[in-house]
Amino acid sequence: MYTQSLDVPHAVALEPPGADSADQGAQERFDSRIAADQKIEPQDWMPDAYRKTLLRQISQHAHSEIIGMLPEGNWISRAPSLKRKAILLAKVQDEAGHGLYLYSAAETLNSSRGQMVEALHSGRAKYSSIFNYPTLTWADVGVIGWLVDGAAIMNQVPLCRCTYGPYARAMIRICKEESFHQRQGFDALLAMMQGSQAQREMVQESVNRWWWPVLMMFGPSDKESIHSTQTMQWGIKRISNDDLRQKFVDAAIQQAKVLGVTFPDPDLKWNEARGQHDYGTIDWDEFWSVVNGDGPCNKERLATRVKAHDDGAWVREAALAYSAKQTKRAQAKAA
Ligand code: BYC
C-alpha cells in the first residue's frame, strides 16, 4: 500500500504505540533513534510522554491554522481590488489546508479529529495568541502576511527536521506555502508604501499595533518555557523560543528598511559585540492574559469557530450518509 511512512525493509522494527512502555529494549531503541536523528513513525513504539507532547503541539498548531483564517477572512469581502481578493482567498484556503495536514498528522498519534475539535471548542486546547488581535484596517492583512507569516516561517522551518515523521513532512509543504504568504503580505504593503501619505500612515499604524504581539508568537522566554528542554532533547523543537525570536528580529529589521517603516521599540538597536540587535522588554503580562483567554478577541474567535462548526453539521451528516450509501451499494454489487 502507498504510505507516507519512511519504513524500509532493513530498518529495525520498533514495537507499535501502546506496547508495554516498561520494555527496556523498546526505550533503548527509541533513544538510539533519537540520538541518531532518525525519524519516529506512527507504527513505532514511543514513550507516552513523547506521544502526548507531540499531540499537544501538533493539535495546537492545527487549531492556530484554523483560527488564523478568521482575522484575514474578515477582509475577503472588503479587499481593495479583484487581484488582492483572489490572492487573499487563496491564502485563507491554504491555511485551512495546513490545519487539515496537521490534524491528520495528529490523528496518527491515536487521537480523533472529534476529540481535538472538542478540546478547542471547550477552551481546553490552546491556539496561537496572535489570532486574538483584531484586523482593523486593510494594512493589517499585509502585516499579517509579512510579520505573522514571517514569524511562523522562522518557527516552522526547523520543524521540518522534527523527529516525528508525519509532522516533519507536513511542515515541509506548509513552509513552502507560508513563504508565498509572507511575500504576498510584503508585496501588498510595498504597494501601499508607494501610494498616498494616508496609505503609508495606515501601514505604519498597523506595524505599530502588531510588532509586540508578533514577538510573543515565539512563546515565553527560554527560562520560563516549561516544555523546551524536553522537546529539544527529543528533537521536536530544534531552536529555542528566544533564539528564534532573535533571528526574526534581525531579519525583520532589514525588511522594514526596504519597506520604509519603523518598529515601535526605542531600545531596538544593533549590538556590535553580540552581532545581533538588542530589543526592548516584552509585556509578558499581556502575553499570558491573551494565552489564558482574555485577549481583545478570544471570545469572539472561539464563538465564531463553534458557530461555523455547528452550522456545518449538515455537511458532515450528508457526507456520512453518502458514504454509507456507497458502501451498501458496493456490498450489494459484490454479493
Ligand atoms: N500562543 O513551554 P512553552 C501561523 C503556550 S500558525 C499561545 O514554550 P512549547 C499562521 C504553550 O503551548 C502559528 N500559547 O511551549 C496561521 C504552553 O502551554 P501548554 C502557530 C502559547 O510548546 C494562519 C505554554 O505556553 N505555530 O503562524 O515548547 C495564518 C508554555 O510554553 C504561545 C505553531 O503552533 C503562543 N504564542 O513552545 C497565518 C508552531 N507560546 O501547551 C499564520 C508549533 C507558548 O503547556 N508550535 N504558548 O498548555 C511551537 O513551535 C511551540 O508549541 C511554541 C511554544 C513555540 C508555540
Side-chain angles (χ1 to χ4, degrees):
M1 197 53 205
Y2 297 111
T3 169
Q4 278 219 346
S5 295
L6 300 180
D7 50 345
V8 284
H10 57 268
V12 182
L14 297 179
E15 288 76 357
D20 182 6
S21 55
D23 180 340
Q24 199 56 32
Q27 178 70 51
E28 276 166 16
R29 284 192 290 279
F30 171 85
D31 290 343
S32 63
R33 269 206 179 174
I34 297 286
D37 210 5
Q38 288 173 352
K39 293 278 180 270
I40 305 295
E41 296 297 338
Q43 69 274 20
D44 295 336
W45 182 89
M46 61 188 85
D48 204 40
Y50 177 82
R51 188 185 68 78
K52 283 193 179 130
T53 292
L54 277 166
L55 188 55
R56 176 187 63 81
Q57 179 165 328
I58 303 172
S59 63
Q60 287 181 3
H61 193 166
H63 300 327
S64 303
E65 300 284 354
I66 299 300
I67 297 280
M69 296 167 73
L70 300 176
E72 291 179 281
N74 281 342
W75 280 89
I76 292 173
S77 60
R78 293 176 284 170
S81 70
L82 183 59
K83 177 181 137 186
R84 295 287 171 200
K85 189 195 284 273
I87 294 172
L88 184 56
L89 261 174
K91 179 187 190 284
V92 172
Q93 282 178 359
D94 282 353
E95 309 299 359
H98 298 175
L100 296 181
Y101 311 153
L102 290 166
Y103 282 130
S104 299
E107 279 171 321
T108 65
L109 293 158
N110 295 347
S111 178
S112 73
R113 183 83 56 96
Q115 284 170 321
M116 289 183 269
V117 168
E118 199 279 321
L120 172 67
H121 291 182
S122 65
R124 278 185 291 116
K126 292 189 168 69
Y127 59 86
S128 182
S129 49
I130 194 71
F131 302 117
N132 293 308
Y133 290 85
T135 38
L136 304 178
T137 67
W138 170 252
D140 290 0
V141 171
V143 169
I144 289 180
W146 172 40
L147 293 179
V148 174
D149 287 275
I153 296 168
M154 196 57 89
N155 165 278
Q156 292 172 12
V157 166
L159 294 174
C160 299
R161 294 198 298 118
C162 158
T163 45
Y164 189 57
Y167 193 26
R169 291 189 287 279
M171 290 318 304
I172 292 171
R173 180 150 177 186
I174 290 175
C175 284
K176 285 184 185 162
E177 293 174 354
E178 294 290 10
S179 300
F180 150 71
H181 296 172
Q182 201 258 358
R183 291 294 295 270
Q184 70 79 35
F186 192 82
D187 176 74
L189 295 178
L190 204 54
M192 290 179 81
M193 291 304 287
Q194 288 161 358
S196 66
Q197 183 60 21
Q199 285 174 303
R200 281 189 287 279
E201 282 167 12
M202 188 189 279
V203 174
Q204 183 61 61
E205 188 275 333
S206 174
V207 170
N208 292 348
R209 271 185 293 112
W210 287 91
W211 176 246
W212 291 106
V214 165
L215 293 192
M216 294 174 194
M217 284 176 72
F218 295 95
S221 69
D222 291 351
K223 61 178 193 313
E224 301 292 328
S225 168
I226 46 173
H227 300 297
S228 282
T229 307
Q230 182 61 79
T231 45
M232 288 181 79
Q233 276 167 8
W234 278 327
I236 297 172
K237 248 170 151 168
R238 298 287 180 162
I239 305 181
S240 78
N241 296 1
D242 283 336
D243 286 347
L244 285 170
R245 196 169 7 247
Q246 181 69 59
K247 276 160 75 72
F248 174 77
V249 169
D250 291 332
I253 284 182
Q254 310 306 327
Q255 294 162 7
K257 281 183 191 148
V258 175
L259 210 49
V261 295
T262 55
F263 294 130
D265 179 358
D267 297 325
L268 191 59
K269 56 176 178 307
W270 178 249
N271 182 323
E272 192 63 50
R274 290 201 305 122
Q276 289 170 323
H277 291 85
D278 290 336
Y279 57 93
T281 310
I282 291 172
D283 182 346
W284 293 114
D285 289 341
E286 175 180 327
F287 171 74
W288 288 116
S289 141
V290 175
V291 168
N292 291 323
D294 287 325
C297 301
N298 294 59
K299 290 175 186 66
E300 180 190 326
R301 296 285 184 250
L302 216 49
T304 307
R305 180 86 284 281
V306 171
K307 183 177 182 309
H309 187 76
D310 291 348
D311 289 351
W314 69 271
V315 179
R316 293 188 295 278
E317 282 160 21
L320 283 173
Y322 179 73
S323 163
K325 210 157 103 181
Q326 294 289 95
T327 310
K328 220 164 145 189
R329 266 201 203 136
Q331 281 167 349
K333 212 167 159 189

